[in-house]
Amino acid sequence: MSTIQWFPGHMAKARNQVQEKLKLVDIVLEIVDARIPISSQNPMLAEIIEHKPKIMILNKADLADPKQTEVWQAYFKQQGYASIAIDAQHKSQLPQINKVVRTVLKDKIQKQYDKGLKLAKVRAICIGIPNVGKSTILNRLVHKNIAKTGDRPGVTKNQQWLKVNEEFEVLDTPGILWPKFEDQTVGTKLALLGSIKDSIYADDDVALFALDYLKTHYAPRLLAAYKLNEADLDQDNPDLMLFLTKKLGFKEDYDQFAQRLILDIRKGRFGRLTFEDVVLATDTVGD
Ligand code: GDP
C-alpha cells in the first residue's frame, strides 16, 4: 500500500523525471487497474508523453469483470490504443506484451532490419499511479526480483535496462505519477480497491458508493452474498446500509458493516467486479 502524499512539488518532480526517462524509450506501457481503467490513470499522462507510442496494460484482470474488460479494451481500441488485459500476479497474458509492442512498433523495427541489423531492439518504460502493479509487472517480465524503489518520485539513480529478451528491454524503475485526486469519486474508488491509504476517505462513504454500485450493476450477486430479497433493494442506500448492518449482526454499528462490505469486495466475495463502465461509440462497434 502506498502512503505517498502528492504535494505540488512532488508532482512537478515526478513529471520531470518521467519526461527524462521518456527520452530513452521507444514505447510506453501505461499500467492501469482493470477494475477502474479510467480512475487509475494519471490525469496528465497524454500531455506528458506527447506523441510517444503507448500500449494500455489493464492489470489485475483476474479481479475485474471479464465482460467489462472486453468492453474497456474495445474502448481503448476506439481511442487508437492497443491494449492487453493481464494478471501480473499469476503471470497470465504477460508474453502478449512483447508481441503487442512489436506490432505497434513494426515500422521502426522494419527500418532497423532494413539497415542490416540482426536484432531490432526496442525499449519500454512502465508508467502508472501507485499500486497498479508496475513493480510486479517489471519483475515478472524479466524473471527477476527487482527491489521496489518505494513509490517516491524524485529519488534518482542510474537507469539500467532489464532484458525481457534479446530484442526487448525495459527500464529498471517505473515512472510513478499521481492519481486524479481532484475528483472525489476517483478517490473513493481508489480507496475501495485499497490503492490509497484507507484513512483518507471515510469507510462509510466508500461503502455507500460500493453498495450503490453493486445494487445498480451487480444486484443478483448482492442479493446472494447477503441473502437479501429483491424488495430489500427498494430502500434508499443509507436505509439499506442500516438494514444490512443489523442483518449481519453489527447492531447499529454502521462503520463495522462499512468495513465488512469493503473487505468482502476486496476478498472477492462478490466475484470479479469492475467499478467503471463505458459506453462505446456505436459507429465502430464490431470493428
Ligand atoms: P506498484 O505500486 O504499481 O509497483 O504496484 P505493485 O507491483 O507493488 O502491486 C500492488 C499490489 O497489487 C501488490 O500487492 C501486488 O501483489 C498486487 N498485484 C499486482 N498485480 C496484480 C494482478 O495482476 N492481480 C492481482 N490480484 N494482484 C496484483
Side-chain angles (χ1 to χ4, degrees):
M1 160 105 27
S2 173
T3 52
I4 190 165
Q5 295 278 328
W6 291 98
F7 295 113
H10 289 128
M11 296 188 193
K13 255 189 194 162
R15 181 188 177 129
N16 289 342
Q17 229 174 47
V18 167
Q19 277 172 328
E20 282 307 306
K21 290 176 179 179
L22 280 169
K23 292 180 189 156
L24 309 171
V25 302
D26 306 299
I27 193 160
V28 170
L29 307 176
E30 180 181 1
I31 321 293
V32 296
D33 186 322
R35 297 166 296 175
I36 45 169
I38 296 296
S39 292
S40 57
Q41 284 187 309
N42 166 273
M44 286 169 79
L45 191 73
E47 195 182 303
I48 294 171
I49 73 170
E50 294 179 353
H51 302 301
K52 200 64 78 173
K54 178 178 93 169
I55 296 174
M56 299 299 305
I57 311 283
L58 283 74
N59 192 34
K60 307 197 187 185
D62 54 313
L63 305 174
D65 181 338
K67 277 194 206 135
Q68 288 301 320
T69 301
E70 267 181 39
V71 180
W72 277 110
Q73 288 199 266
Y75 166 79
F76 287 120
K77 191 174 169 191
Q78 285 183 350
Q79 302 285 307
Y81 297 109
S83 70
I84 313 165
I86 66 168
D87 163 10
Q89 185 105 308
H90 308 98
K91 305 188 190 175
S92 169
Q93 300 300 321
L94 267 178
Q96 285 293 324
I97 296 181
N98 182 40
K99 282 190 198 142
V100 176
V101 163
R102 295 195 86 76
T103 306
V104 172
L105 294 178
K106 63 179 185 307
D107 292 346
K108 186 184 165 84
I109 288 169
Q110 191 54 48
K111 270 188 203 150
Q112 292 193 43
Y113 288 135
D114 290 347
K115 278 192 207 153
L117 290 173
K118 281 210 183 93
L119 291 176
K121 218 183 243 183
V122 293
R123 289 178 151 175
I125 180 175
C126 294
I127 298 183
I129 67 168
N131 219 50
V132 287
K134 299 178 297 299
S135 313
T136 309
I137 291 171
L138 265 183
N139 281 320
R140 300 286 196 268
L141 266 180
V142 301
H143 311 291
K144 283 196 184 134
N145 235 331
I146 318 296
K148 196 165 163 160
T149 42
D151 291 332
R152 295 248 164 262
V155 183
T156 42
K157 63 175 192 117
N158 288 336
Q159 297 297 337
Q160 286 182 27
W161 297 100
L162 301 171
K163 256 189 199 170
V164 180
N165 60 45
E166 287 304 316
E167 297 189 298
F168 182 25
E169 291 180 347
V170 280
L171 211 52
D172 66 341
T173 47
I176 303 160
L177 293 170
W178 61 94
K180 294 175 197 160
F181 272 129
E182 65 279 9
D183 182 331
Q184 173 89 27
T185 325
V186 170
T188 303
K189 289 177 188 173
L190 290 168
L192 173 62
L193 301 183
S195 283
I196 52 174
K197 246 179 130 173
D198 286 349
S199 58
I200 298 180
Y201 289 85
D203 282 341
D204 54 347
D205 287 342
V206 174
L208 261 178
F209 163 80
L211 190 61
D212 183 61
Y213 203 92
L214 288 172
K215 219 169 104 172
T216 48
H217 293 77
Y218 296 102
R221 300 193 203 179
L222 181 62
L223 296 177
Y226 293 146
K227 300 191 174 57
L228 297 170
N229 299 313
E230 258 176 70
D232 295 333
L233 299 191
D234 293 341
Q235 313 173 66
D236 63 17
N237 292 334
D239 286 341
L240 180 58
M241 277 276 283
L242 205 55
F243 176 79
L244 281 165
T245 302
K246 288 180 187 154
K247 186 170 165 58
L248 272 77
F250 297 117
K251 300 201 172 90
E252 304 273 320
D253 197 340
Y254 210 72
D255 279 340
Q256 259 202 321
F257 170 69
Q259 284 163 16
R260 163 74 185 271
L261 178 64
I262 294 168
L263 257 168
D264 281 347
I265 288 169
R266 289 186 192 163
K267 284 202 210 139
R269 177 150 191 188
F270 300 95
R272 297 164 67 179
L273 302 169
T274 296
F275 285 96
E276 237 155 39
D277 49 15
V278 64
V279 180
L280 295 172
T282 46
D283 53 338
T284 47
V285 166
D287 275 3

